[in-house]
Coordinates of all heavy atoms in Angstrom, one line a residue:
A19 N 3.9 -21.1 6.9 CA 4.8 -22.0 7.4 C 5.6 -21.4 8.6 O 5.7 -20.2 8.7 CB 5.8 -22.4 6.3
R20 N 6.1 -22.3 9.4 CA 6.8 -21.9 10.6 C 8.3 -21.5 10.2 O 8.9 -22.3 9.5 CB 6.7 -22.9 11.7 CG 7.5 -22.6 12.9 CD 7.1 -23.5 14.1 NE 5.7 -23.3 14.4 CZ 5.2 -24.0 15.5 NH1 5.8 -24.8 16.2 NH2 3.9 -23.7 15.8
R21 N 8.8 -20.4 10.8 CA 10.2 -20.1 10.6 C 11.0 -20.9 11.5 O 10.6 -21.4 12.5 CB 10.4 -18.6 10.9 CG 9.6 -17.7 9.9 CD 10.1 -16.3 9.9 NE 9.4 -15.4 9.0 CZ 9.8 -14.2 8.6 NH1 10.9 -13.7 9.0 NH2 9.1 -13.5 7.7
A22 N 12.3 -21.2 11.1 CA 13.2 -22.0 11.9 C 13.5 -21.4 13.2 O 13.8 -20.2 13.3 CB 14.5 -22.2 11.1
A23 N 13.4 -22.2 14.3 CA 13.7 -21.7 15.6 C 15.0 -21.0 15.8 O 15.2 -20.0 16.5 CB 13.5 -22.8 16.6
H24 N 16.0 -21.6 15.1 CA 17.4 -21.1 15.3 C 17.6 -19.8 14.4 O 18.7 -19.2 14.5 CB 18.4 -22.2 14.9 CG 18.4 -22.6 13.5 ND1 17.4 -23.5 13.0 CD2 19.1 -22.3 12.4 CE1 17.6 -23.7 11.7 NE2 18.6 -23.0 11.3
C25 N 16.7 -19.5 13.5 CA 16.8 -18.4 12.6 C 15.5 -17.7 12.4 O 15.0 -17.7 11.2 CB 17.5 -18.8 11.3 SG 18.2 -17.5 10.3
P26 N 14.9 -17.2 13.4 CA 13.5 -16.7 13.3 C 13.3 -15.5 12.4 O 12.1 -15.1 12.1 CB 13.1 -16.4 14.8 CG 14.4 -16.1 15.4 CD 15.4 -17.0 14.7
L27 N 14.3 -14.8 12.0 CA 14.1 -13.6 11.2 C 14.2 -14.0 9.7 O 13.8 -13.1 8.8 CB 15.2 -12.6 11.5 CG 15.2 -12.0 12.9 CD1 16.3 -10.9 13.1 CD2 13.9 -11.5 13.4
A28 N 14.6 -15.2 9.4 CA 14.7 -15.6 8.0 C 13.4 -16.3 7.6 O 12.6 -16.8 8.4 CB 15.8 -16.6 7.8
P29 N 13.0 -16.2 6.3 CA 11.8 -16.9 5.8 C 11.9 -18.4 6.1 O 13.0 -19.0 6.4 CB 11.8 -16.7 4.3 CG 12.7 -15.5 4.1 CD 13.7 -15.6 5.2
P30 N 10.8 -19.1 6.2 CA 10.8 -20.6 6.5 C 11.7 -21.3 5.5 O 11.7 -20.9 4.3 CB 9.3 -21.0 6.3 CG 8.6 -19.7 6.6 CD 9.4 -18.6 6.1
P31 N 12.5 -22.2 5.9 CA 13.5 -22.9 5.1 C 13.0 -23.5 3.8 O 13.6 -23.6 2.8 CB 14.2 -23.9 6.0 CG 13.2 -24.1 7.1 CD 12.5 -22.8 7.3
E32 N 11.7 -24.0 3.8 CA 11.2 -24.7 2.7 C 10.9 -23.7 1.5 O 10.8 -24.2 0.4 CB 9.9 -25.5 3.0 CG 8.8 -24.6 3.6 CD 8.8 -24.7 5.1 OE1 9.9 -24.6 5.7 OE2 7.7 -24.9 5.7
L252 N 10.1 -6.6 15.4 CA 11.0 -7.5 14.7 C 12.2 -6.7 14.1 O 13.3 -7.2 14.2 CB 10.2 -8.2 13.6 CG 9.4 -9.4 13.9 CD1 8.6 -9.8 12.7 CD2 10.3 -10.6 14.3
V255 N 14.8 -6.3 16.8 CA 15.6 -7.5 17.0 C 16.7 -7.6 15.9 O 17.8 -7.9 16.2 CB 14.7 -8.8 16.9 CG1 15.6 -10.0 17.0 CG2 13.7 -8.8 18.1
E259 N 20.8 -7.3 16.4 CA 21.8 -8.4 15.8 C 22.9 -7.7 15.0 O 23.9 -8.4 14.7 CB 21.0 -9.4 15.0 CG 20.1 -10.4 15.8 CD 19.6 -11.5 15.0 OE1 19.8 -11.5 13.7 OE2 19.0 -12.4 15.6
H291 N 3.0 -13.1 5.5 CA 3.0 -14.5 5.1 C 1.8 -14.9 4.3 O 1.8 -15.9 3.6 CB 3.2 -15.4 6.3 CG 4.6 -15.5 6.8 ND1 5.1 -16.5 7.5 CD2 5.6 -14.6 6.8 CE1 6.3 -16.3 7.9 NE2 6.7 -15.1 7.4
L380 N 18.4 -7.1 24.5 CA 17.4 -8.0 24.9 C 17.6 -8.4 26.4 O 18.8 -8.5 26.9 CB 17.5 -9.3 24.1 CG 17.2 -9.2 22.6 CD1 17.4 -10.6 21.9 CD2 15.7 -8.7 22.4
S383 N 17.7 -14.3 26.6 CA 18.5 -14.8 25.5 C 17.7 -14.9 24.2 O 16.5 -15.1 24.3 CB 19.1 -16.2 25.8 OG 18.0 -17.1 26.0
P384 N 18.3 -14.8 23.0 CA 17.5 -14.8 21.8 C 16.6 -16.0 21.6 O 15.5 -15.9 21.1 CB 18.6 -14.7 20.7 CG 19.7 -14.0 21.4 CD 19.7 -14.5 22.8
D385 N 17.1 -17.2 22.1 CA 16.3 -18.4 22.0 C 15.0 -18.4 22.9 O 14.2 -19.3 22.8 CB 17.1 -19.6 22.1 CG 17.8 -19.7 23.5 OD1 17.5 -18.8 24.4 OD2 18.5 -20.7 23.7
E386 N 14.9 -17.4 23.8 CA 13.7 -17.3 24.6 C 12.7 -16.4 24.1 O 11.6 -16.3 24.6 CB 14.1 -16.8 26.0 CG 15.0 -17.8 26.8 CD 15.3 -17.3 28.2 OE1 14.5 -17.4 29.1 OE2 16.4 -16.7 28.4
L387 N 13.0 -15.7 23.0 CA 12.0 -14.9 22.4 C 10.8 -15.7 21.8 O 11.0 -16.8 21.3 CB 12.6 -14.0 21.2 CG 13.7 -13.0 21.7 CD1 14.3 -12.4 20.4 CD2 13.0 -11.9 22.5
K388 N 9.6 -15.1 21.9 CA 8.4 -15.8 21.5 C 7.8 -15.1 20.3 O 7.5 -14.0 20.3 CB 7.4 -15.9 22.6 CG 7.9 -16.6 23.9 CD 6.8 -16.6 25.0 CE 7.3 -17.3 26.2 NZ 6.3 -17.3 27.3
F389 N 7.7 -15.9 19.2 CA 7.2 -15.4 17.9 C 5.9 -16.0 17.6 O 5.5 -17.1 18.1 CB 8.2 -15.7 16.8 CG 9.6 -15.1 17.0 CD1 10.6 -15.8 17.7 CD2 9.9 -13.9 16.4 CE1 11.8 -15.2 17.9 CE2 11.1 -13.3 16.6 CZ 12.1 -14.0 17.3
K390 N 5.1 -15.3 16.8 CA 3.8 -15.8 16.5 C 3.8 -16.1 15.0 O 4.2 -15.3 14.1 CB 2.7 -14.8 16.8 CG 2.9 -13.4 16.2 CD 1.7 -12.4 16.6 CE 1.9 -11.0 16.1 NZ 0.9 -10.1 16.4
D391 N 3.3 -17.3 14.7 CA 3.3 -17.8 13.3 C 1.8 -17.6 12.8 O 0.9 -18.2 13.2 CB 3.6 -19.3 13.2 CG 5.1 -19.5 13.6 OD1 6.0 -19.0 12.9 OD2 5.3 -20.3 14.6
Y395 N 3.5 -12.2 10.4 CA 4.5 -12.7 11.4 C 4.9 -11.6 12.4 O 5.0 -10.4 12.0 CB 5.7 -13.2 10.6 CG 6.8 -13.8 11.4 CD1 6.5 -15.1 12.0 CD2 8.0 -13.3 11.6 CE1 7.5 -15.7 12.8 CE2 9.0 -13.9 12.3 CZ 8.8 -15.1 12.9 OH 9.7 -15.7 13.6
G396 N 5.1 -12.0 13.6 CA 5.5 -11.0 14.6 C 5.9 -11.6 15.9 O 6.2 -12.8 16.0
M397 N 6.0 -10.8 16.9 CA 6.5 -11.2 18.2 C 5.3 -11.1 19.3 O 4.5 -10.2 19.2 CB 7.6 -10.4 18.7 CG 8.8 -10.4 17.7 SD 10.2 -9.5 18.4 CE 10.7 -10.5 19.7

Side-chain angles (χ1 to χ4, degrees):
R20 178 166 295 184
R21 298 195 178 197
H24 64 281
C25 198
L27 300 186
E32 55 264 46
L252 277 171
V255 174
E259 287 190 352
H291 281 205
L380 295 176
S383 63
D385 59 4
E386 292 182 81
L387 292 175
K388 298 178 180 179
F389 299 88
K390 54 182 180 180
D391 296 299
Y395 184 67
M397 303 185 69

